[in-house]
């Protein structure tokens, strides 16, 4: 059975105490879990959050977009070390919250653009760092998901093929691939082939419309997405991820300057209805 999740970036930038009620809200809207932004780790109240997740019978996923000070591809060893330690904290916190997946832009700094293509050295640094993080994460039963994002958000990794290549180079059993239909719409030739190519490595899905508005209202080819998911036997998370101009730092990272739907709740509610219907049609869930 697939599970349905909502990325909390829809309503908040950081997951502090004030954000805990969003778990209840997502539950009320019909979700099985929330994707938690791992940004200000010092503000996450682990005990209270875990209690609320358990009380609401909700699960969580840890979401990372590495900053420049934690860039695993940096030529500065201290920066890479900081990044590795940060990722280890993300793994530990996610596990303490009852989650088993940390995913997103975990391989370089989110938003870093160099004006050139990645180098072999950068690739190797990312591989070495993630190897160490994966080995650490195994003790916590946590899996890491590599999310390729579009060329305006990273120069380093834009396609499913490259995410599979990075995962194979890391070569640890708990490194997997995470795809997002918003980015696929920009970088892939279609929606079917990349999902099939990721195959057994596909561990997480962000189901987003081409403009990050309500899923089902744009031109993402959802039948292709779900046909491929059905053929690979996908049975993990389907998470809706969208942003609004009010959540300012994330809006700046994703260039979200206009409202994409009548309300954030409409994205969560109508989007879930649409994704659920597709899952029922193609996956029998
Ligand atoms: C950002 O565009 C995105 O898709 C996030 O999942 C990155 O962490
Ligand atoms: Mn995403």
């Amino acid at each position: 059975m697939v599970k349905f999740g909502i990325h909390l970036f829809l309503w908040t930038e950081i997951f502090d105490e004030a954000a805990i009620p969003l778990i209840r809200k997502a539950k009320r809207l019909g979700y099985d879990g929330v994707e938690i932004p791992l940004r200000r780790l010092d503000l996450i109240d682990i005990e209270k959050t875990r209690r609320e997740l358990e009380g609401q019978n909700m699960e969580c996923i840890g979401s990372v977009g590495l900053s420049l000070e934690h860039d695993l591809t940096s030529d500065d060893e201290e920066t890479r070390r900081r990044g590795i330690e940060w990722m280890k904290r993300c793994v530990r916190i996610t596990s303490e919250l009852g989650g088993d997946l940390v995913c997103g832009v975990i391989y370089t700094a989110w938003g870093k653009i160099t004006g050139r293509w990645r180098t072999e050295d950068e690739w190797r640094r990312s591989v070495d760092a993630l190897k160490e993080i994966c080995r650490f994460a195994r003790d916590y039963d946590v899996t890491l998901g590599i999310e390729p994002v579009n060329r305006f958000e990273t120069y380093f990794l834009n396609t499913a093929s490259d995410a599979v290549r990075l995962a194979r180079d890391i070569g640890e059993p708990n490194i997997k691939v995470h795809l997002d239909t918003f980015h696929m719409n920009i970088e892939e030739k279609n929606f079917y082939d990349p999902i099939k190519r990721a195959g057994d490595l596909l561990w997480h899905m962000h189901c987003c419309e081409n403009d990050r508005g309500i899923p089902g209202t744009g031109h993402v080819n959802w039948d292709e997405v779900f046909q491929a998911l059905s053929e690979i036997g996908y049975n993990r998370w389907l998470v809706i991820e969208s942003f609004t101009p009010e959540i300012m730092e994330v809006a700046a990272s994703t260039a979200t300057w206009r409202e994409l739907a009548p309300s954030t709740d409409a994205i969560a509610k109508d989007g879930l209805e649409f994704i659920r219907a597709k899952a029922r049609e193609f996956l029998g869930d």
Side-chain angles (χ1 to χ4, degrees):
M1 284 277 276
V2 286
K3 291 182 279 192
F4 301 92
I6 185 80
H7 199 304
L8 294 183
F9 268 167
L10 187 59
W11 298 302
T12 190
E13 208 140 58
I14 50 169
F15 191 81
D16 54 6
E17 202 179 339
I20 294 177
L22 293 174
I23 295 169
R24 201 170 286 234
K25 177 181 174 115
K27 174 75 179 184
R28 237 185 292 120
L29 287 165
Y31 287 95
D32 302 306
V34 289
E35 196 160 317
I36 295 183
L38 297 173
R39 286 160 83 85
R40 287 288 306 274
L41 304 184
D42 54 319
L43 296 182
I44 300 179
D45 188 326
I46 294 173
E47 264 321 298
K48 271 195 188 157
T49 305
R50 190 186 175 116
R51 239 181 292 129
E52 182 67 1
L53 285 164
E54 284 173 356
Q56 294 296 317
N57 194 21
M58 289 281 275
E59 294 183 48
C60 75
I61 303 131
S63 173
V64 167
L66 285 176
S67 66
L68 276 172
E69 61 171 328
H70 298 134
D71 179 7
L72 301 180
T73 65
S74 170
D75 58 8
D76 174 44
E77 196 182 335
E78 236 174 80
T79 303
R80 295 202 299 281
R81 183 45 48 196
R82 258 199 313 272
I84 290 169
E85 294 312 317
W86 173 267
M87 283 295 295
K88 288 181 178 174
R89 276 179 76 196
C90 290
V91 164
R92 218 180 304 117
I93 289 171
T94 301
S95 159
E96 283 167 0
L97 293 176
D100 63 3
L101 176 65
V102 172
C103 56
V105 184
I106 61 170
Y107 44 82
T108 185
W110 183 27
K112 180 180 166 187
I113 301 288
T114 56
R116 56 158 175 77
W117 183 228
R118 65 181 182 232
T119 65
E120 277 305 312
D121 279 348
E122 287 166 341
W123 186 268
R124 189 183 34 77
R125 288 181 203 128
S126 190
V127 166
D128 289 348
L130 282 164
K131 230 186 227 299
E132 178 177 337
I133 296 158
C134 282
R135 287 179 182 168
F136 174 87
R138 276 178 81 173
D139 289 342
Y140 292 83
D141 287 326
V142 167
T143 295
L144 282 299
I146 300 165
E147 180 185 29
V149 295
N150 75 77
R151 66 191 70 181
F152 306 107
E153 293 180 35
T154 183
Y155 72 105
F156 188 81
L157 189 85
N158 307 128
T159 63
S161 297
D162 273 359
V164 167
R165 209 184 122 209
L166 186 65
R168 293 211 171 114
D169 284 359
I170 294 161
E172 295 293 324
N174 57 338
I175 188 77
K176 305 287 181 187
V177 171
H178 157 193
L179 296 179
D180 178 326
T181 51
F182 170 83
H183 300 295
M184 291 169 76
N185 177 62
I186 297 170
E187 299 295 347
E188 309 281 0
K189 295 288 190 200
N190 59 56
F191 295 90
Y192 177 84
D193 294 322
I195 291 174
K196 290 285 287 190
R197 213 169 296 132
D200 287 349
L201 278 175
L202 186 62
W203 219 249
H204 197 59
M205 277 302 293
H206 280 171
C207 295
C208 312
E209 199 41 88
N210 65 283
D211 62 349
R212 290 220 192 258
I214 302 170
T217 62
H219 68 241
V220 164
N221 191 329
W222 293 102
D223 286 1
E224 266 186 24
V225 171
F226 278 88
Q227 181 59 36
L229 290 176
S230 139
E231 289 178 24
I232 65 166
Y234 186 78
N235 64 358
R236 300 193 55 82
W237 287 100
L238 299 172
V239 169
I240 294 176
E241 183 190 47
S242 186
F243 317 116
T244 66
E246 286 74 44
I247 309 298
M248 284 162 64
E249 267 188 46
V250 181
S253 300
T254 57
T256 306
W257 304 122
R258 62 182 194 277
E259 298 296 349
L260 302 167
S263 69
T264 52
D265 288 10
I267 295 177
K269 193 167 165 290
D270 301 351
L272 177 59
E273 202 175 306
F274 176 79
I275 296 296
R276 238 188 225 295
K278 284 290 161 198
R280 211 171 296 125
E281 181 184 349
F282 286 86
L283 310 175
D285 284 346

